[in-house]
Amino acid sequence: MIAYVNGIVEDIAEDNVVLDVNGLGYNIKISADTASRLPGIGEPVKLYTYTCVREDAFLLYGFLTRSDLEIFKKLITVNGIGPKGGLAILSVMDGDDLRFAILSGDVKAISKAPGIGSKTAQRVILDLKDKISYDDTMIEKEISATVSGNSFKADTPQKKEAIEALISLGYGQTESTKAVNAIEGIENMDSGAILKAALKKMF
């Protein structure tokens, strides 16, 4: 119904922002990740919105990018994931990280969201794995270096060993692969050096 709201930030909370649009204040539900990326009070911002109409409420959910809005709309089609659950998941990871987690089957990363257990996370992966479109080249690059089933497709043995070591230390597949792929000059490093550099990025 309402495609987007373009206004001035009046107030920000962890799960809500008030936008002043020509003197009219809009309460818009947001994720914690969105809240952390909003400009300051008094600054202009454009939020792409999803409208939820219930018998007792008319709610707007806002996102900084169309990409995040689209993954939210897919999330809430999953049985057991309503708008509240969708925001919870997008509070612990952004839309691109979620796409990556879904493709790599990273149940652990998704189940970090409050109120989202491992069974629900598995349902998200099962329902959405074939419905995700990867437009971001960095995401495509990371996907090519992550897992297929239980076997890693890291492009070097050193990367593979470092990713497996991170997972054995308790990190998820998504964050382990992203940390390793973010290391500069990795071509000349052995697995031990890659592991140390990746651990630095974790903290």
Side-chain angles (χ1 to χ4, degrees):
M1 295 177 68
I2 300 175
Y4 63 83
V5 177
N6 200 341
I8 305 298
V9 178
E10 184 71 22
D11 186 45
I12 304 173
E14 184 178 350
D15 62 351
N16 190 82
V17 62
V18 178
L19 291 191
D20 184 326
V21 182
N22 297 323
L24 183 63
Y26 285 83
N27 271 309
I28 303 174
K29 297 291 184 183
I30 56 174
S31 69
D33 178 72
T34 296
S36 70
R37 293 187 285 135
L38 285 173
I41 303 295
E43 296 293 325
V45 70
K46 180 178 183 179
L47 292 180
Y48 297 93
T49 54
Y50 172 80
T51 306
C52 178
V53 180
R54 303 192 318 223
E55 289 184 3
D56 60 344
F58 182 96
L59 302 173
L60 286 176
Y61 294 83
F63 306 88
L64 286 168
T65 66
R66 285 194 181 93
S67 176
D68 282 357
L69 171 61
E70 289 308 312
I71 193 65
F72 172 80
K73 288 162 70 173
K74 286 183 172 67
L75 269 176
I76 62 177
T77 67
V78 177
N79 186 32
I81 302 286
K84 184 177 179 180
L87 281 191
I89 293 173
L90 289 172
S91 288
V92 298
M93 60 177 67
D94 63 23
D96 283 343
D97 284 342
L98 177 57
R99 288 179 178 86
F100 185 39
I102 289 169
L103 189 70
S104 64
D106 195 344
V107 172
K108 185 175 180 179
I110 298 172
S111 59
K112 285 181 179 180
I116 304 298
S118 60
K119 288 186 178 179
T120 303
Q122 288 170 357
R123 193 181 305 126
V124 168
I125 292 167
L126 182 64
D127 287 4
L128 299 185
K129 199 166 188 176
D130 296 329
K131 300 177 182 178
I132 300 299
S133 174
Y134 296 92
D135 297 321
D136 190 296
T137 55
M138 181 58 69
I139 291 297
E140 290 175 349
K141 179 180 179 183
E142 288 169 351
I143 287 166
S144 69
T146 187
V147 298
S148 175
N150 292 320
S151 60
F152 288 93
K153 288 188 176 180
D155 50 14
T156 68
Q158 293 85 354
K159 278 189 179 182
K160 176 182 176 181
E161 290 174 10
I163 293 170
E164 289 175 339
L166 287 168
I167 292 173
S168 71
L169 290 172
Y171 294 102
Q173 293 170 182
T174 302
E175 57 187 339
S176 298
T177 305
K178 287 176 71 67
V180 167
N181 285 338
I183 297 170
E184 296 181 4
I186 197 170
E187 297 81 8
N188 301 317
M189 301 167 67
D190 61 24
S191 58
I194 294 172
L195 177 59
K196 289 179 182 178
L199 283 170
K200 287 182 181 178
K201 291 185 175 295
M202 296 292 195
F203 296 103

